[in-house]
Amino acid sequence: MSLAFIFPGQGSQNVGMGAELAAAFPAAKDVFDAVDDALGQKLFALMTEGAIEDLTLTENAQPALMACSVAAMQALKAEFGIDITAAKYAAGHSLGEYSALCAAGVIGLQDTAKLLKLRGQAMQDAVAPGIGAMAALLGASPEDAQAAAAAGRKIGVCQVANDNAVGQIVISGEKAAVEAAAQAATDMGVKRAMMLPVSAPFHCDLMAPAAQVMKDALASVTFNAPAVPIVNNVTAQPVTDPVQLKADLVTQVTGQVRWRESVQFMAAQGVTDLAEPGTGKVLTTMLKRITDDLTGHRLDTPEALEAFAAHLKG
């Protein structure tokens, strides 16, 4: 078996996330406490008891998802002797890349929490409500999506934002441009073009103000070499240079999340198992739409961590 850890992005949050991990594992509770301290906010209480509307706010969801992922990793290490070096690679979907970097020792936990709080605020503030939009093109090939986005660009900003899986691609940009691209996709025979209920048009050029905020913030943060290579969103290739990892986090704000290619790369390098620490199973479920050669493991409950540890130790 060859392993990679994959870290989920926004959309995986749910009220109750992390509660079982914190109750079962002191190491996980320590992570949640440290994130609360770093943010000066009772984020863990919001995660476990709050309103979903508040948890879903980008500035809360991003550090919450990271905290849950890192808590699962710390519990694996403390309780079962498994750390990130058991894997050949680590990768994260959008904000999940920060979780991967934290788990791999590139960025400290409290710095990661502060960066994600700021990232969420900056991304939300970059575009006024109603200006931007995103749409999922279901059944579209990468070529279909690029052609649809090109049609949208005749009106305004429109880009491929997320290449998530085979037949699951998301476009992002100005509302009228994305609507035109969605119509173009439908006209070319794409199975379904669906506008998404998002609060901002992520991963497109409209996020340039947020990219500048993150560039300024990251400049003062120390990055270390990762314990394992990070297959990052910008390159879909393994990166170990801390300077490049930092620069690519800035590019990632306006750039495409190349998730399908990242997973395909890891599979081509002999990875057989992908473990998703944190909450939910969004990435694990998505694997089936990318390749049949990988086994996914969701690591979001004490029982799941125990079963995974037994599986890993054979």
Side-chain angles (χ1 to χ4, degrees), residues 266-283:
M266 290 186 282
Q269 302 308 306
V271 170
T272 58
D273 290 67
L274 294 179
E276 181 178 5
T279 185
K281 57 176 181 177
V282 170
L283 298 182

PDB file of all heavy atoms in Angstrom, residues 266-283:
ATOM      1  N   MET A 266      -0.913  11.474  -8.430  1.00  0.00           N
ATOM      2  CA  MET A 266      -0.559  10.602  -7.310  1.00  0.00           C
ATOM      3  C   MET A 266      -0.807   9.139  -7.642  1.00  0.00           C
ATOM      4  O   MET A 266       0.008   8.272  -7.320  1.00  0.00           O
ATOM      5  CB  MET A 266      -1.315  11.041  -6.049  1.00  0.00           C
ATOM      6  CG  MET A 266      -0.822  12.375  -5.500  1.00  0.00           C
ATOM      7  SD  MET A 266      -1.572  12.863  -3.908  1.00  0.00           S
ATOM      8  CE  MET A 266      -3.188  13.451  -4.452  1.00  0.00           C
ATOM      9  N   ALA A 267      -1.907   8.863  -8.317  1.00  0.00           N
ATOM     10  CA  ALA A 267      -2.190   7.481  -8.727  1.00  0.00           C
ATOM     11  C   ALA A 267      -1.121   6.973  -9.686  1.00  0.00           C
ATOM     12  O   ALA A 267      -0.678   5.819  -9.590  1.00  0.00           O
ATOM     13  CB  ALA A 267      -3.567   7.400  -9.371  1.00  0.00           C
ATOM     14  N   ALA A 268      -0.666   7.833 -10.597  1.00  0.00           N
ATOM     15  CA  ALA A 268       0.357   7.436 -11.563  1.00  0.00           C
ATOM     16  C   ALA A 268       1.699   7.156 -10.898  1.00  0.00           C
ATOM     17  O   ALA A 268       2.528   6.404 -11.432  1.00  0.00           O
ATOM     18  CB  ALA A 268       0.525   8.522 -12.623  1.00  0.00           C
ATOM     19  N   GLN A 269       1.895   7.746  -9.709  1.00  0.00           N
ATOM     20  CA  GLN A 269       3.142   7.520  -8.970  1.00  0.00           C
ATOM     21  C   GLN A 269       3.050   6.313  -8.032  1.00  0.00           C
ATOM     22  O   GLN A 269       3.933   6.088  -7.216  1.00  0.00           O
ATOM     23  CB  GLN A 269       3.513   8.767  -8.155  1.00  0.00           C
ATOM     24  CG  GLN A 269       3.686  10.021  -9.003  1.00  0.00           C
ATOM     25  CD  GLN A 269       4.635   9.814 -10.153  1.00  0.00           C
ATOM     26  OE1 GLN A 269       5.771   9.392  -9.966  1.00  0.00           O
ATOM     27  NE2 GLN A 269       4.175  10.107 -11.369  1.00  0.00           N
ATOM     28  N   GLY A 270       1.963   5.555  -8.141  1.00  0.00           N
ATOM     29  CA  GLY A 270       1.838   4.326  -7.372  1.00  0.00           C
ATOM     30  C   GLY A 270       1.050   4.430  -6.087  1.00  0.00           C
ATOM     31  O   GLY A 270       0.941   3.449  -5.343  1.00  0.00           O
ATOM     32  N   VAL A 271       0.493   5.621  -5.804  1.00  0.00           N
ATOM     33  CA  VAL A 271      -0.344   5.749  -4.607  1.00  0.00           C
ATOM     34  C   VAL A 271      -1.598   4.898  -4.786  1.00  0.00           C
ATOM     35  O   VAL A 271      -2.238   4.921  -5.840  1.00  0.00           O
ATOM     36  CB  VAL A 271      -0.720   7.225  -4.357  1.00  0.00           C
ATOM     37  CG1 VAL A 271      -1.785   7.343  -3.267  1.00  0.00           C
ATOM     38  CG2 VAL A 271       0.519   8.030  -3.975  1.00  0.00           C
ATOM     39  N   THR A 272      -1.935   4.148  -3.753  1.00  0.00           N
ATOM     40  CA  THR A 272      -3.098   3.263  -3.811  1.00  0.00           C
ATOM     41  C   THR A 272      -4.221   3.682  -2.875  1.00  0.00           C
ATOM     42  O   THR A 272      -5.385   3.342  -3.098  1.00  0.00           O
ATOM     43  CB  THR A 272      -2.697   1.819  -3.443  1.00  0.00           C
ATOM     44  OG1 THR A 272      -2.104   1.825  -2.120  1.00  0.00           O
ATOM     45  CG2 THR A 272      -1.693   1.266  -4.443  1.00  0.00           C
ATOM     46  N   ASP A 273      -3.866   4.397  -1.792  1.00  0.00           N
ATOM     47  CA  ASP A 273      -4.834   4.772  -0.765  1.00  0.00           C
ATOM     48  C   ASP A 273      -4.742   6.270  -0.491  1.00  0.00           C
ATOM     49  O   ASP A 273      -3.640   6.804  -0.322  1.00  0.00           O
ATOM     50  CB  ASP A 273      -4.580   4.005   0.528  1.00  0.00           C
ATOM     51  CG  ASP A 273      -4.917   2.527   0.405  1.00  0.00           C
ATOM     52  OD1 ASP A 273      -4.217   1.812  -0.344  1.00  0.00           O
ATOM     53  OD2 ASP A 273      -5.864   2.089   1.072  1.00  0.00           O
ATOM     54  N   LEU A 274      -5.901   6.914  -0.413  1.00  0.00           N
ATOM     55  CA  LEU A 274      -5.975   8.325  -0.065  1.00  0.00           C
ATOM     56  C   LEU A 274      -6.818   8.463   1.197  1.00  0.00           C
ATOM     57  O   LEU A 274      -7.943   7.961   1.251  1.00  0.00           O
ATOM     58  CB  LEU A 274      -6.592   9.148  -1.192  1.00  0.00           C
ATOM     59  CG  LEU A 274      -5.792   9.246  -2.501  1.00  0.00           C
ATOM     60  CD1 LEU A 274      -6.549  10.079  -3.522  1.00  0.00           C
ATOM     61  CD2 LEU A 274      -4.428   9.849  -2.261  1.00  0.00           C
ATOM     62  N   ALA A 275      -6.267   9.117   2.207  1.00  0.00           N
ATOM     63  CA  ALA A 275      -6.958   9.291   3.477  1.00  0.00           C
ATOM     64  C   ALA A 275      -7.329  10.749   3.657  1.00  0.00           C
ATOM     65  O   ALA A 275      -6.493  11.635   3.481  1.00  0.00           O
ATOM     66  CB  ALA A 275      -6.075   8.828   4.631  1.00  0.00           C
ATOM     67  N   GLU A 276      -8.594  10.999   3.997  1.00  0.00           N
ATOM     68  CA  GLU A 276      -9.141  12.350   4.107  1.00  0.00           C
ATOM     69  C   GLU A 276      -9.409  12.697   5.575  1.00  0.00           C
ATOM     70  O   GLU A 276     -10.458  12.363   6.120  1.00  0.00           O
ATOM     71  CB  GLU A 276     -10.442  12.446   3.296  1.00  0.00           C
ATOM     72  CG  GLU A 276     -11.097  13.811   3.321  1.00  0.00           C
ATOM     73  CD  GLU A 276     -12.367  13.872   2.470  1.00  0.00           C
ATOM     74  OE1 GLU A 276     -12.776  12.811   1.930  1.00  0.00           O
ATOM     75  OE2 GLU A 276     -12.942  14.961   2.336  1.00  0.00           O
ATOM     76  N   PRO A 277      -8.448  13.353   6.242  1.00  0.00           N
ATOM     77  CA  PRO A 277      -8.641  13.704   7.649  1.00  0.00           C
ATOM     78  C   PRO A 277      -9.478  14.968   7.800  1.00  0.00           C
ATOM     79  O   PRO A 277      -9.298  15.930   7.053  1.00  0.00           O
ATOM     80  CB  PRO A 277      -7.211  13.940   8.167  1.00  0.00           C
ATOM     81  CG  PRO A 277      -6.327  13.978   6.973  1.00  0.00           C
ATOM     82  CD  PRO A 277      -7.148  13.765   5.753  1.00  0.00           C
ATOM     83  N   GLY A 278     -10.384  14.966   8.753  1.00  0.00           N
ATOM     84  CA  GLY A 278     -11.165  16.164   9.019  1.00  0.00           C
ATOM     85  C   GLY A 278     -12.618  15.865   9.248  1.00  0.00           C
ATOM     86  O   GLY A 278     -12.985  15.219  10.221  1.00  0.00           O
ATOM     87  N   THR A 279     -13.451  16.298   8.306  1.00  0.00           N
ATOM     88  CA  THR A 279     -14.882  16.086   8.453  1.00  0.00           C
ATOM     89  C   THR A 279     -15.489  15.768   7.095  1.00  0.00           C
ATOM     90  O   THR A 279     -15.093  16.326   6.075  1.00  0.00           O
ATOM     91  CB  THR A 279     -15.570  17.324   9.060  1.00  0.00           C
ATOM     92  OG1 THR A 279     -16.953  17.043   9.290  1.00  0.00           O
ATOM     93  CG2 THR A 279     -15.443  18.548   8.175  1.00  0.00           C
ATOM     94  N   GLY A 280     -16.414  14.837   7.062  1.00  0.00           N
ATOM     95  CA  GLY A 280     -17.100  14.497   5.830  1.00  0.00           C
ATOM     96  C   GLY A 280     -16.289  13.600   4.926  1.00  0.00           C
ATOM     97  O   GLY A 280     -15.239  13.065   5.302  1.00  0.00           O
ATOM     98  N   LYS A 281     -16.789  13.481   3.687  1.00  0.00           N
ATOM     99  CA  LYS A 281     -16.174  12.558   2.737  1.00  0.00           C
ATOM    100  C   LYS A 281     -16.231  13.094   1.308  1.00  0.00           C
ATOM    101  O   LYS A 281     -16.303  12.342   0.347  1.00  0.00           O
ATOM    102  CB  LYS A 281     -16.864  11.198   2.811  1.00  0.00           C
ATOM    103  CG  LYS A 281     -18.382  11.248   2.564  1.00  0.00           C
ATOM    104  CD  LYS A 281     -18.995   9.872   2.563  1.00  0.00           C
ATOM    105  CE  LYS A 281     -20.509   9.958   2.293  1.00  0.00           C
ATOM    106  NZ  LYS A 281     -21.124   8.621   2.211  1.00  0.00           N
ATOM    107  N   VAL A 282     -16.206  14.424   1.165  1.00  0.00           N
ATOM    108  CA  VAL A 282     -16.346  15.030  -0.157  1.00  0.00           C
ATOM    109  C   VAL A 282     -15.255  14.547  -1.103  1.00  0.00           C
ATOM    110  O   VAL A 282     -15.522  14.116  -2.233  1.00  0.00           O
ATOM    111  CB  VAL A 282     -16.333  16.568  -0.052  1.00  0.00           C
ATOM    112  CG1 VAL A 282     -16.227  17.196  -1.438  1.00  0.00           C
ATOM    113  CG2 VAL A 282     -17.593  17.067   0.648  1.00  0.00           C
ATOM    114  N   LEU A 283     -14.002  14.597  -0.659  1.00  0.00           N
ATOM    115  CA  LEU A 283     -12.901  14.203  -1.535  1.00  0.00           C
ATOM    116  C   LEU A 283     -12.871  12.694  -1.742  1.00  0.00           C
ATOM    117  O   LEU A 283     -12.564  12.212  -2.838  1.00  0.00           O
ATOM    118  CB  LEU A 283     -11.570  14.685  -0.964  1.00  0.00           C
ATOM    119  CG  LEU A 283     -11.414  16.198  -0.815  1.00  0.00           C
ATOM    120  CD1 LEU A 283     -10.022  16.536  -0.282  1.00  0.00           C
ATOM    121  CD2 LEU A 283     -11.668  16.923  -2.131  1.00  0.00           C
TER     122      LEU A 283
END
